[in-house]
């Protein structure tokens, strides 16, 4: 598996390359930080590790550019530990955020988790299905949802979340169910991270024409609502 490591700290890069190579990951480092997107297109990596503070343009910029053309898993690795930085990363399309300094065991666990979900057996089985909630359709293979002749593309994380909500429809999905399904260890996920992901999916559903598509049941979880079709 190819990992594009977009990090300008040479000592950290050297250590991460050493650790990742032990587990058969092939790492690629940018040769020109001004042309990250060109190198991404050339490498076609299976996963991206991305720092926030970079020469020329920051990681948020490159995350957005990569996400415009690819659904590859993107994990931020940054010393910036503020909630707003993590929110911005998710808003720009990242799948995860890891604060420096971090343990390599946790980094590897997250890498394996995202690779397993996108390229592993679970992803292959999931892609064979077409999920439906009323007139809302979700196609896991293409990460596309449709409603009343409108279509919208989702990120991998948004797709996993929608799959949970559609499968349970019209019943609610508890917070614990979502965390256990989408993240391997819920201890490393705070309420803000979950809320941001829910908010991103809700916004795209509204863009399709659904009104109040995800209902929050305080203290219990979330439920998908397709107006006029949930009863």
């Amino acid at each position: 598996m190819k990992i594009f490591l977009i990090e300008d700290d040479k000592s950290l890069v050297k250590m991460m390359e050493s650790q990742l190579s032990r587990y058969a990951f092939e790492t690629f480092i940018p040769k020109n930080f001004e042309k990250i997107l060109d190198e991404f297109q050339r490498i076609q990596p299976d996963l991206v590790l991305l720092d926030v503070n970079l020469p020329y343009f920051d990681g948020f910029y490159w995350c957005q550019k990569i996400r415009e053309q690819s659904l590859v898993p993107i994990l931020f690795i940054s010393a910036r530990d503020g909630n707003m930085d993590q929110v911005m990363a998710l808003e720009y399309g990242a799948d995860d955020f890891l604060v420096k300094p971090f343990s390599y065991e946790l980094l590897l666990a997250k890498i394996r988790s995202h690779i397993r979900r996108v390229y592993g057996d679970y992803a292959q089985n999931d892609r064979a299905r077409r999920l439906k909630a009323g007139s809302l359709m979700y196609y896991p293979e293409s990460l596309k949802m449709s409603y009343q002749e409108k279509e919208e593309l989702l990120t991998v994380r948004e797709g996993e979340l929608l799959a949970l909500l559609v499968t349970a429809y019209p019943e609610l999905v508890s917070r614990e169910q979502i965390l256990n399904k989408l993240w391997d260890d819920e201890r490393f996920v705070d309420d803000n991270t979950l809320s941001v992901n829910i908010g991103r999916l809700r916004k795209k559903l509204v863009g399709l024409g659904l009104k109040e598509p995800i209902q929050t049941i305080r203290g219990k979880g979330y439920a998908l609502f397709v107006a006029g079709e949930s009863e």
Side-chain angles (χ1 to χ4, degrees):
M1 304 293 284
K2 296 186 291 185
I3 295 180
F4 192 19
L5 176 54
I6 308 174
E7 165 66 66
D8 64 336
D9 184 331
K10 294 182 179 180
S11 61
L12 179 59
V13 166
K14 186 175 181 180
M15 288 188 291
M16 291 181 68
E17 281 187 304
S18 176
Q19 290 291 326
L20 293 171
S21 65
R22 292 172 55 191
Y23 296 90
F25 291 113
E26 185 178 9
T27 55
F28 295 82
I29 314 303
K31 296 179 180 178
N32 187 340
F33 282 92
E34 199 171 3
K35 297 183 178 180
I36 294 293
L37 195 58
D38 291 341
E39 296 198 35
F40 172 84
Q41 294 169 337
R42 176 179 58 81
I43 297 168
Q44 291 295 304
D46 299 294
L47 183 140
V48 174
L49 294 175
L50 178 61
D51 192 10
V52 174
N53 296 320
L54 295 170
Y56 303 106
F57 303 98
D58 64 22
F60 300 130
Y61 172 85
W62 290 121
C63 181
Q64 184 179 35
K65 290 299 181 183
I66 292 172
R67 188 56 77 225
E68 286 175 358
Q69 61 178 255
S70 174
L71 294 173
V72 64
I74 300 175
L75 283 69
F76 268 90
I77 49 172
S78 175
R80 293 164 61 167
D81 59 357
N83 283 340
M84 186 51 64
D85 290 309
Q86 298 186 42
V87 168
M88 286 179 63
L90 295 171
E91 288 286 357
Y92 279 112
D95 296 286
D96 215 330
F97 195 106
L98 195 57
V99 178
K100 302 175 185 175
F102 49 77
S103 71
Y104 286 106
E105 290 78 9
L106 178 57
L107 174 65
L108 287 166
K110 285 183 175 289
I111 289 174
R112 286 169 169 167
S113 172
H114 288 288
I115 287 177
R116 185 166 60 249
R117 297 188 194 287
V118 178
Y119 310 108
D121 292 336
Y122 169 78
Q124 292 171 4
N125 292 334
D126 186 55
R127 289 172 180 171
R129 295 181 292 138
R130 181 181 70 172
L131 305 179
K132 180 180 179 182
S135 298
L136 175 66
M137 305 293 294
Y138 173 53
Y139 305 89
E141 181 174 8
S142 58
L143 288 173
K144 184 184 296 182
M145 62 179 178
S146 65
Y147 178 73
Q148 295 183 348
E149 300 183 355
K150 289 185 178 181
E151 294 184 343
E152 179 69 54
L153 189 65
L154 302 176
T155 65
V156 172
R157 184 72 77 202
E158 292 165 352
E160 292 173 336
L161 181 54
L162 181 60
L164 280 176
L165 294 170
V166 170
T167 301
Y169 177 81
E171 304 299 325
L172 69 84
V173 181
S174 71
R175 175 184 179 279
E176 289 71 25
Q177 286 177 294
I178 294 174
L179 293 177
N180 287 333
K181 191 71 173 180
L182 271 64
W183 289 275
D184 278 357
D185 193 335
E186 63 181 271
R187 291 176 300 172
F188 299 107
V189 182
D190 58 23
D191 288 330
N192 194 50
T193 300
L194 179 55
S195 296
V196 168
N197 281 273
I198 289 288
R200 286 168 54 187
L201 178 58
R202 181 184 282 123
K203 184 177 180 180
K204 289 189 176 181
L205 287 166
V206 169
L208 283 182
L210 288 163
K211 296 181 179 180
E212 301 180 0
I214 300 178
Q215 299 185 335
T216 302
I217 295 84
R218 188 174 298 276
K220 293 185 178 180
Y222 302 90
L224 184 66
F225 177 70
V226 182
E229 299 179 0
S230 61
E231 296 182 356

